[in-house]
Amino acid sequence: MDLNSASTVVLQVLTQATSQDTAVLKPAEEQLKQWETQPGFYSVLLNIFTNHTLDINVRWLAVLYFKHGIDRYWRRVAPHALSEEEKTTLRAGLITNFNEPINQIATQIAVLIAKVARLDCPRQWPELIPTLIESVKVQDDLRQHRALLTFYHVTKTLASKRLAADRKLFYDLASGIYNFACSLWNHHTDTFLQQVSSGNEAAILSSLERTLLSLKVLRKLTVNGFVEPHKNMEVMGFLHGIFVRLKQFLECSRNIGTDNVCRDRLEKTIILFTKVLLDFLDQHPFSFTPLIQRSLEFSVSYVFTEVGEGVTFERFIVQCMNLIKMIVKNYAYKPSKNFEDSSPETLEAHKIKMAFFTYPTLTEICRRLVSHYFLLTEEELTMWEEDPEGFTVEETGGDSWKYSLRPCTEVLFIDIFHEYNQTLTPVLLEMMQTLQGPTNVEDMNALLIKDAVYNAVGLAAYELFDSVDFDQWFKNQLLPELQVIHNRYKPLRRRVIWLIGQWISVKFKSDLRPMLYEAICNLLQDQDLVVCFLNALKELVFKVSPYLETMFTLLFQLLQQVTECDTKMHVLHVLSCVIERVNIQIRPYVGCLVQYLPLLWKQSEEHNMLRCAILTTLIHLVQGLGADSKNLYPFLLPVIQLSTDVSQPPHVYLLEDGLELWLVTLENSPCVTSELLRIFQNMSPLLELSSENLRTCFKIINGYIFLSSTEFLQTYAVGLCQSFCELLKEITTEGQVQVLKVVENALKVNPILGPQMFQPILPYVFKGIIEGERYPVVMSTYLGVMGRVLLQNTGFFSSLLNEMAHKFNQEMDQLLGNMIEMWVDRMDNITQPERRKLSALALLSLLPSDNSVIQDKFCGIINISVEGLHDVMTEDPETGTYKDCMLMSHLEEPKVTEDEEPPTEQDKRKKMLALKDPVHTVSLQQFIYEKLKAQQEILGEQGFQSLMETVDTEIVTQLQEFLQGF
């Protein structure tokens, strides 16, 4: 692409690509896409976005296309890669001038320079870092800032590389420029501190911006640039200096307004100081040891004493608390139980911690956390009053402990209390003691103090297990407080029920539960309170029979009333727990929920996590309804269809729960329907995924086989067999076993159709037996599959033997002999009694025979048969005779106790199948006797006697014992 002639054309097309008119926009985008691989295109883009006279939107678009081009075509191995000559020209052009006047474009240029640096610096671009260092020294404000911005993005990108060779290059870079970076930062920091008193906001902001950028560079160099940073005096000097600078910047906040840009930048810089410390502690805990004492002194003084009054702000307090928490919890600082096994570095750090956390310090931290930071603020009380649901969701959200003050204080309290519980338990018990009895509803401060202490007692429940008689406290103090109905007591009632929820799984007598259920049923009338104690309710659902209808009805009403997605999920989770615990007892009460869930599913189309909660509820609902769940199919089956369709975007969120729902639906289905059968079309792509959900997929396939083997196999066996053949090439040993178990079940359920449908897999199994598969669990499954074919479909086994004889280029008899020999040799691989009996029945089915090969293996067949008898025969103590313990003569309905789950429809199907299975219907003792008798008739007395002489006399004696009475 000729630069002179192309620039005008490219500029025109870029201008069109900024148009709002799609008729103009689309052709322009297509043309730009075609130019992406044209030599010279990126040189034209560079000329355009560095021309400050052109339209900003056009320049912005040129930068973006250039940046995307780096991602796609800069690497040498990329298709349509840029030539080395053009890349050399572009690299030079990118760092010729750092004078971009538009902030957003300057940032994009800095990012794309960093992208090139990631690939080319320092080998192909050695001049980049020296050029940046020279450019940040210039007096021109704009050039200095843009060079510093680029310097930061390049450092950040190079620091993120993880290959050993790249790490070494970054270590070298950091060592070479660290002194300069420190000097640069100190210069800009001193300039800022001098200008603060001037009142010139523009000058303050300019120097503060440079301070922030140079500190960002230092953060990356300090945290990622050294293997053993504690051995570098400059690094440790910088880190120790942070505390001095932090004090200076915090004092500066007194002179800067609370609602301007300077204040925002100042707070960002203060937070960045704390991030340097946190990152360094995370990456280099032992290098941080010299900083432990100073970090704790600084953080505790600003957060827990009057030093911080007037200068601290919420995000800074959060960061200081995170720093304390990370030091307290750091595993590198925790010695082993046997101190002698700990490293000197660990013992040194532990010693510093113990010296700092004295009794007075810990007591003050604990009291301040509870009596100051745990107190509900006016803002929180107002929010709870106006939107209790939203307040609860915000309070319990995700990673909020890292960024929000209340969750952060609670996490710090938990960690410190856990680490120093012997010291702090008496402190908290004393605070509890002062709050016995009712609290005056007019004294809001006393109510808030009690709420804070109750919060602490709930958070420390596990640590206080031996120190608090919670049952007595519940009866004498908490239960009466739940019954106070004054409006001002609402927050405290909310806290009490939350507190009970914290303790219920720690220490709570079962005979107190009815009292609590009564109180809960009353509280369930108040939606504002209910959303705050759903966790407690989930823990309390155990034996709720007397209260089941009331509780379920009120929860359902709550589900309809709440509007926050998170709250609906929470209510559904509690409902699921209720259904799971009471199982079939739920059936009379679920009609309203069954009618509402389709509407909720439709409303939650944009909320995949809520849909996951609906799926979980449906899983427990289907289990509770059993065969009656068939009535849900008009809603249930489309839900399963969508959740397990990998071509639909929501499957990313819904697949795991959708598969579980599919499985329980099959297990509880009384009969197959065309719609249920049709969903199986989703299975083939799922098997191709080879994900962690494969095990559930195999269970689903087995479910279809047990439900309707003939219809299912005729419809899907061919495609399923192809998928299995592909899986067996690359799957793990455990996966192979799962595949073969499906085949084994198909042969067991349908011995005629099964072998035909899975015919392509059976040679694979036969080959595995002949070659002596080395994994016992796989060999056991091979023998189980082949045993089914041999015993239940002799004709198919003969044709398979014939096919394999051709493949192995052997005589059929010779191959059969090899198989029997391997079977006998590897019988010990089979551990399941059912499979061991199956093997004995299968090999005995080869008798009677006048085939010399079979007669040659007669000894092995009898050995296996006697082993089988030892496995299955039990002696009747009254008659002294033996009987086969695996025989089932009729279907016995099992007696289900109240605590047991009733059998599913699939359990019943398996029982019915067992009544037709030779393993459970044929007496091994009888079968051996009949086969030996038939063999004797073929060979005659003398011939049969000769055959028996090939068997070990001890085995013959055991056989005769088992066959007494025949």
Side-chain angles (χ1 to χ4, degrees):
M1 185 178 278
D2 179 63
L3 286 184
N4 295 326
S5 59
S7 290
T8 306
V9 180
V10 173
L11 181 60
Q12 183 181 358
V13 174
L14 281 170
T15 305
Q16 292 168 351
T18 62
S19 171
Q20 301 297 312
D21 184 352
T22 54
V24 177
L25 172 67
K26 290 295 180 186
E29 288 180 337
E30 282 299 318
Q31 182 59 70
L32 289 167
K33 189 172 181 63
Q34 291 175 20
W35 283 338
E36 279 182 0
T37 56
Q38 290 290 313
F41 175 60
Y42 295 96
S43 298
V44 174
L45 290 178
L46 176 63
N47 288 343
I48 290 172
F49 70 69
T50 53
N51 185 343
H52 304 158
T53 63
L54 298 175
D55 179 74
I56 292 174
N57 293 325
V58 172
R59 294 173 57 227
W60 170 261
L61 198 59
V63 171
L64 293 184
Y65 269 95
F66 193 103
K67 193 169 73 169
H68 294 154
I70 294 170
D71 292 332
R72 291 174 188 157
Y73 309 115
W74 198 274
R75 287 181 173 82
R76 291 183 207 174
V77 295
H80 310 292
L82 274 72
S83 68
E84 291 302 315
E85 293 76 17
E86 186 172 3
K87 287 198 287 187
T88 301
T89 305
L90 293 173
R91 283 192 293 259
L94 285 170
I95 56 174
T96 301
N97 289 302
F98 296 100
N99 59 352
E100 173 54 55
I102 307 300
N103 286 334
Q104 294 91 332
I105 295 177
T107 301
Q108 289 299 325
I109 292 173
V111 170
L112 69 84
I113 289 173
K115 281 179 174 288
V116 175
R118 184 180 184 87
L119 300 170
D120 290 357
C121 182
R123 292 187 178 90
Q124 285 80 39
W125 206 2
E127 65 273 18
L128 172 62
I129 300 298
T131 302
L132 288 172
I133 288 173
E134 288 305 312
S135 299
V136 298
K137 294 177 183 176
V138 299
Q139 296 304 308
D140 182 278
D141 281 356
L142 181 64
R143 286 192 62 197
Q144 187 187 70
H145 179 273
R146 298 318 191 214
L148 195 51
L149 179 68
T150 306
F151 192 23
Y152 159 60
H153 280 285
V154 168
T155 309
K156 177 184 175 183
T157 301
L158 294 179
S160 69
K161 299 179 80 173
R162 288 291 169 260
L163 293 177
D166 294 326
R167 303 294 313 131
K168 175 68 169 60
L169 287 172
F170 190 70
Y171 295 150
D172 294 343
L173 171 67
S175 298
I177 66 171
Y178 197 84
N179 186 40
F180 168 76
C182 279
S183 301
L184 186 69
W185 170 67
N186 277 313
H187 166 72
H188 289 306
T189 303
D190 290 337
T191 303
F192 161 71
L193 292 171
Q194 291 162 13
Q195 290 175 338
V196 166
S197 56
S198 71
N200 184 337
E201 191 171 314
I204 293 171
L205 187 60
S206 175
S207 59
L208 188 53
E209 184 70 33
R210 285 158 177 72
T211 301
L212 186 61
L213 282 172
S214 55
L215 182 57
K216 285 181 175 181
V217 172
L218 263 181
R219 177 191 178 192
K220 294 299 175 185
L221 294 175
T222 303
V223 174
N224 303 105
F226 300 89
V227 180
E228 296 178 305
H230 60 282
K231 294 182 178 179
N232 187 300
M233 290 179 61
E234 289 175 340
V235 171
M236 298 311 291
F238 162 67
L239 289 167
H240 280 289
I242 282 180
F243 301 102
V244 177
R245 292 302 196 186
L246 265 171
K247 288 180 181 178
Q248 292 173 334
F249 274 64
L250 286 164
E251 284 303 313
C252 285
S253 64
R254 298 183 191 276
N255 302 320
I256 295 178
T258 58
D259 56 354
N260 59 26
V261 179
C262 284
R263 178 73 185 202
D264 176 66
R265 280 286 182 274
L266 177 65
E267 290 189 358
K268 280 187 175 177
T269 307
I270 290 170
I271 293 303
L272 189 59
F273 281 124
T274 63
K275 284 182 177 180
V276 174
L277 294 171
L278 285 165
D279 288 353
F280 191 77
L281 170 57
D282 181 56
Q283 294 295 316
H284 307 283
F286 289 127
S287 294
F288 192 86
T289 300
L291 301 163
I292 291 176
Q293 177 78 17
R294 202 163 181 186
S295 298
L296 290 172
E297 288 173 350
F298 178 88
S299 300
V300 170
S301 65
Y302 273 93
V303 175
F304 296 110
T305 73
E306 66 281 354
V307 172
E309 291 177 9
V311 295
T312 59
F313 51 96
E314 182 172 312
R315 186 74 198 282
F316 172 72
I317 293 171
V318 167
Q319 291 292 91
C320 286
M321 287 185 174
N322 284 337
L323 188 57
I324 298 169
K325 181 183 76 69
M326 282 184 70
I327 292 172
V328 168
K329 274 192 75 175
N330 204 303
Y331 287 107
Y333 302 158
K334 290 187 178 181
S336 306
K337 288 184 179 179
N338 184 359
F339 264 56
E340 293 176 0
D341 295 336
S342 305
S343 68
E345 294 86 357
T346 296
L347 292 176
E348 174 65 19
H350 179 69
K351 181 181 173 184
I352 296 169
K353 275 174 56 181
M354 294 305 291
F356 178 82
F357 285 112
T358 59
Y359 176 80
T361 301
L362 286 169
T363 303
E364 184 59 26
I365 289 173
C366 180
R367 290 189 183 280
R368 287 276 292 179
L369 280 170
V370 177
S371 62
H372 178 70
Y373 288 107
F374 278 16
L375 289 183
L376 288 169
T377 64
E378 279 293 329
E379 184 184 358
E380 287 172 323
L381 285 169
T382 304
M383 183 180 177
W384 189 78
E385 192 63 40
E386 294 174 355
D387 183 16
E389 188 185 339
F391 175 73
T392 304
V393 168
E394 187 170 305
E395 193 181 41
T396 57
D399 284 340
S400 56
W401 66 266
K402 293 180 184 175
Y403 314 110
S404 302
L405 184 56
R406 176 165 296 282
C408 182
T409 59
E410 292 178 352
V411 170
L412 178 61
F413 174 82
I414 291 168
D415 290 336
I416 286 185
F417 205 94
H418 175 74
E419 190 76 10
Y420 303 102
N421 62 82
Q422 289 185 335
T423 302
L424 294 177
T425 294
V427 178
L428 190 52
L429 290 177
E430 182 193 330
M431 296 172 84
M432 281 176 63
Q433 203 64 39
T434 61
L435 298 172
Q436 293 302 317
T439 303
N440 184 353
V441 294
E442 300 302 323
D443 189 346
M444 198 62 198
N445 187 56
L447 288 172
L448 292 177
I449 291 285
K450 183 176 271 192
D451 174 88
V453 173
Y454 282 7
N455 188 14
V457 175
L459 294 172
Y462 284 96
E463 309 298 337
L464 295 173
F465 179 86
D466 293 321
S467 305
V468 173
D469 185 347
F470 189 78
D471 296 329
Q472 284 299 315
W473 197 41
F474 167 75
K475 284 192 293 185
N476 300 335
Q477 176 80 18
L478 301 180
L479 193 58
E481 290 194 305
L482 282 179
Q483 294 160 354
V484 179
I485 57 174
H486 195 283
N487 202 46
R488 282 196 170 191
Y489 228 78
K490 257 189 179 183
L492 194 57
R493 288 162 71 203
R494 161 192 175 270
R495 179 63 70 192
V496 168
I497 199 68
W498 170 86
L499 171 62
I500 295 167
Q502 294 296 105
W503 274 85
I504 200 80
S505 58
V506 177
K507 192 178 189 180
F508 195 73
K509 283 182 180 173
S510 57
D511 57 5
L512 293 177
R513 289 178 184 270
M515 298 167 66
L516 184 54
Y517 290 140
E518 292 284 356
I520 284 176
C521 286
N522 293 328
L523 290 170
L524 278 168
Q525 311 286 343
D526 188 337
Q527 181 189 329
D528 289 358
L529 281 172
V530 173
V531 297
C532 299
F533 65 75
L534 286 169
N535 270 334
L537 208 55
K538 181 182 67 179
E539 294 295 339
L540 291 169
V541 178
F542 214 81
K543 291 186 180 295
V544 294
S545 301
Y547 313 95
L548 181 56
E549 183 175 6
T550 304
M551 199 174 285
F552 194 85
T553 303
L554 291 169
L555 278 169
F556 173 67
Q557 289 172 0
L558 178 66
L559 179 64
Q560 291 177 295
Q561 292 164 0
V562 296
T563 54
E564 290 278 351
C565 182
D566 279 18
T567 312
K568 281 191 181 290
M569 287 167 57
H570 218 149
V571 178
L572 279 170
H573 186 48
V574 176
L575 279 167
S576 294
C577 289
V578 174
I579 297 168
E580 183 182 16
R581 296 274 172 87
V582 302
N583 206 279
I584 61 174
Q585 295 176 55
I586 203 67
R587 291 178 184 178
Y589 314 117
V590 294
C592 53
L593 180 64
V594 167
Q595 290 176 357
Y596 176 64
L597 284 178
L599 174 63
L600 184 59
W601 180 265
K602 188 174 182 182
Q603 291 172 343
S604 61
E605 192 169 354
E606 300 300 318
H607 303 282
N608 286 312
M609 298 314 292
L610 177 54
R611 284 195 159 184
C612 286
I614 296 172
L615 288 172
T616 304
T617 305
L618 284 170
I619 288 167
H620 295 304
L621 201 52
V622 169
Q623 289 170 327
L625 290 173
D628 291 342
S629 61
K630 187 182 177 186
N631 299 325
L632 300 182
Y633 283 7
F635 166 54
L636 200 59
L637 300 188
V639 166
I640 296 171
Q641 166 72 41
L642 174 71
S643 305
T644 59
D645 184 350
V646 296
S647 68
Q648 297 291 331
H651 90 273
V652 175
Y653 304 94
L654 308 180
L655 181 58
E656 187 173 349
D657 292 316
L659 286 171
E660 194 63 34
L661 178 59
W662 191 356
L663 177 59
V664 299
T665 300
L666 284 169
E667 289 174 341
N668 289 279
S669 177
C671 60
V672 74
T673 67
S674 56
E675 294 82 6
L676 187 56
L677 202 59
R678 196 176 303 121
I679 297 175
F680 195 80
Q681 292 171 0
N682 284 1
M683 184 56 70
S684 183
L686 288 168
L687 294 176
E688 289 174 16
L689 282 179
S690 296
S691 68
E692 63 277 5
N693 295 309
L694 263 183
R695 184 183 290 274
T696 309
C697 291
F698 290 133
K699 288 180 181 178
I700 289 168
I701 297 166
N702 282 321
Y704 275 103
I705 289 171
F706 291 126
L707 180 61
S708 179
S709 64
T710 302
E711 204 171 346
F712 171 68
L713 291 174
Q714 286 175 340
T715 309
Y716 292 110
V718 174
L720 190 59
C721 199
Q722 288 174 349
S723 297
F724 280 0
C725 288
E726 290 301 313
L727 277 173
L728 287 169
K729 294 176 184 175
E730 55 190 33
I731 205 167
T732 62
T733 301
E734 185 186 356
Q736 289 180 51
V737 172
Q738 295 298 324
V739 170
L740 294 167
K741 278 183 178 176
V742 172
V743 177
E744 187 177 11
N745 283 329
L747 301 178
K748 183 194 299 184
V749 176
N750 203 321
I752 305 303
L753 189 60
Q756 296 172 17
M757 293 300 168
F758 288 105
Q759 192 277 330
I761 292 176
L762 294 177
Y764 172 89
V765 173
F766 196 104
K767 183 171 179 284
I769 294 171
I770 292 294
E771 294 179 350
E773 164 63 44
R774 63 194 179 100
Y775 289 108
V777 66
V778 178
M779 188 62 160
S780 171
T781 317
Y782 283 162
L783 296 174
V785 170
M786 200 52 59
R788 288 284 168 193
V789 178
L790 177 55
L791 179 62
Q792 294 179 265
N793 197 329
T794 310
F796 191 89
F797 178 79
S798 297
S799 63
L800 176 63
L801 186 62
N802 185 40
E803 178 188 344
M804 297 308 294
H806 284 296
K807 281 190 179 178
F808 280 99
N809 196 25
Q810 290 182 16
E811 292 294 324
M812 284 177 62
D813 286 351
Q814 182 189 355
L815 192 59
L816 176 61
N818 293 343
M819 188 192 77
I820 296 171
E821 188 174 327
M822 188 58 72
W823 203 322
V824 172
D825 184 57
R826 301 296 290 275
M827 184 68 179
D828 286 343
N829 288 169
I830 306 175
T831 55
Q832 303 94 326
E834 290 86 353
R835 271 206 195 133
R836 290 177 68 81
K837 180 177 177 180
L838 175 66
S839 286
L841 291 172
L843 290 177
L844 281 166
S845 71
L846 294 168
L847 303 176
S849 174
D850 56 2
N851 186 310
S852 60
V853 171
I854 293 176
Q855 290 184 18
D856 187 48
K857 305 301 177 186
F858 179 80
C859 172
I861 294 172
I862 297 302
N863 284 348
I864 282 184
S865 302
V866 173
E867 279 189 39
L869 286 168
H870 280 290
D871 292 329
V872 303
M873 299 304 285
T874 55
E875 187 175 3
D876 188 332
E878 294 181 6
T879 62
T881 57
Y882 290 94
K883 63 177 182 178
D884 190 330
C885 66
M886 287 194 184
L887 292 180
M888 294 174 61
S889 56
H890 62 282
L891 183 63
E892 296 176 2
E893 281 293 333
K895 293 179 181 178
V896 182
T897 65
E898 188 181 335
D899 293 331
E900 289 180 325
E901 291 184 8
T904 65
E905 295 299 304
Q906 183 162 297
D907 292 332
K908 295 173 186 176
R909 285 191 282 272
K910 287 182 177 180
K911 284 281 177 67
M912 293 299 295
L913 175 61
L915 290 176
K916 302 175 185 176
D917 186 351
V919 173
H920 297 292
T921 58
V922 174
S923 163
L924 181 57
Q925 186 185 31
Q926 177 86 28
F927 197 64
I928 293 174
Y929 173 76
E930 290 173 356
K931 289 294 181 180
L932 291 179
K933 194 165 185 289
Q935 188 69 35
Q936 186 178 28
E937 289 172 2
I938 288 178
L939 298 179
E941 184 64 38
Q942 189 175 351
F944 179 71
Q945 197 57 42
S946 299
L947 196 60
M948 287 300 294
E949 286 173 0
T950 64
V951 182
D952 184 82
T953 53
E954 180 61 31
I955 299 295
V956 172
T957 303
Q958 292 172 23
L959 179 62
Q960 287 169 345
E961 249 183 77
F962 281 119
L963 296 184
Q964 280 178 2
F966 281 92

